[in-house]
Amino acid sequence: MSRIETAPERAARAIRNLIKSNGLGPGDSLPAQRELAATLGISRASLREALATLEAMGLIRVQAGKGAYIADPHDGLPRDDNQKRQAAQVYQFRLAIEPYVAGLAAQARTRDHLIALQRSIDDMQTAFEADDLITAANADTEFHEILLSASGNPLFAAAIFPAAQTIHENQMLPFANAAAIKAPLREHEQILRYVRDRNPSGARDAMHFHVLSAATRANIAFLRP
């Protein structure tokens, strides 16, 4: 299983490369959107999605009427009440489903699932080493999608599919926490360890911890059962 990268995600990577190649730092402005879209050869719609992706990851700030500028990675990510509410709802949804899915995967996984899960972890590690947060975020999402397949119950994937993009965007939020940016990698390794050992309770607990920890890293508070 391999997640297909979208045009806005490719654009987000191109913008990150532009930021690095031009030596832009916190507080520096990006070119105007019209100029940036022309430079990258993308539509304004794809550019807006790319900027939203980078903002969700805490890499830039976008201000209406003022444009986009490079964020300080240690400032965290300010969000309005609607954004916080939606993020909290996504974490509640994930907490209700993903630990149970991880437990099922520990019982039903195949050797191919284990190989794919390990590959996603390796891809995430390689992406971090290359400072490629877009690829790291995609590998993060892929890990969870593989677990859905490994659960052996296609209804879980069918239930999540309508909200898949929203969940993927939600999984980018913890990347704004520069101090703990590699924590998901360690947590994925722990989940895989229990799945490999066919330990359902361990996999459930590890996934429960992972989702709660991700919410904490994203500075999202929500009611927990």
Side-chain angles (χ1 to χ4, degrees):
M1 180 183 298
S2 180
R3 186 178 180 278
I4 298 174
E5 189 174 61
T6 66
E9 287 167 352
R10 288 193 296 273
R13 176 181 291 102
I15 295 170
R16 277 214 83 202
N17 291 337
L18 182 149
I19 291 169
K20 289 188 284 187
S21 63
N22 289 349
L24 300 180
D28 291 337
S29 297
L30 287 174
Q33 289 193 22
R34 186 184 302 276
E35 177 185 347
L36 195 54
T39 298
L40 299 175
I42 59 175
S43 69
R44 293 287 293 276
S46 289
L47 176 62
R48 284 192 292 271
E49 288 188 50
L51 293 176
T53 293
L54 294 173
E55 187 170 33
M57 300 175 79
L59 301 176
I60 66 169
R61 300 284 185 266
V62 179
Q63 291 187 340
K66 295 183 179 180
Y69 62 94
I70 313 306
D72 186 324
H74 300 289
D75 282 349
L77 182 62
R79 303 183 186 92
D80 62 32
D81 288 343
N82 286 335
Q83 290 172 319
K84 290 179 180 178
R85 186 178 304 109
Q86 184 187 58
Q89 289 170 347
V90 173
Y91 278 115
Q92 287 176 334
F93 179 74
R94 292 182 60 195
L95 193 63
I97 291 179
E98 292 197 56
Y100 189 73
V101 165
L104 288 179
Q107 300 174 76
R109 93 299 187 276
T110 65
R111 180 174 178 275
D112 286 344
H113 289 129
L114 294 179
I115 292 171
L117 288 166
Q118 184 62 60
R119 184 182 300 119
S120 76
I121 289 174
D122 293 342
D123 288 346
M124 197 174 186
Q125 176 67 53
T126 300
F128 278 134
E129 291 172 356
D131 192 29
D132 184 352
L133 298 187
I134 306 302
T135 296
N138 287 341
D140 187 345
T141 295
E142 186 175 11
F143 180 88
H144 292 267
E145 291 177 345
I146 295 166
L147 284 175
L148 283 171
S149 174
S151 74
N153 186 339
L155 292 180
F156 286 112
I160 286 176
F161 179 77
Q165 183 59 31
T166 300
I167 292 173
H168 175 58
E169 293 168 359
N170 174 270
Q171 287 174 306
M172 293 181 177
L173 298 180
F175 284 78
N177 186 338
I181 199 165
K182 293 187 179 180
L185 184 63
R186 297 189 295 271
E187 292 163 13
H188 283 193
E189 289 171 341
Q190 182 68 16
I191 294 166
L192 176 56
R193 189 172 300 117
Y194 286 119
V195 170
R196 182 182 289 116
D197 291 345
R198 295 194 185 277
N199 184 333
S201 62
R204 285 193 297 270
D205 290 346
M207 181 61 80
H208 189 272
F209 176 81
H210 175 50
V211 175
L212 289 182
S213 296
T216 299
R217 288 190 290 272
N219 197 28
I220 298 297
F222 62 96
L223 296 176
R224 305 170 185 178

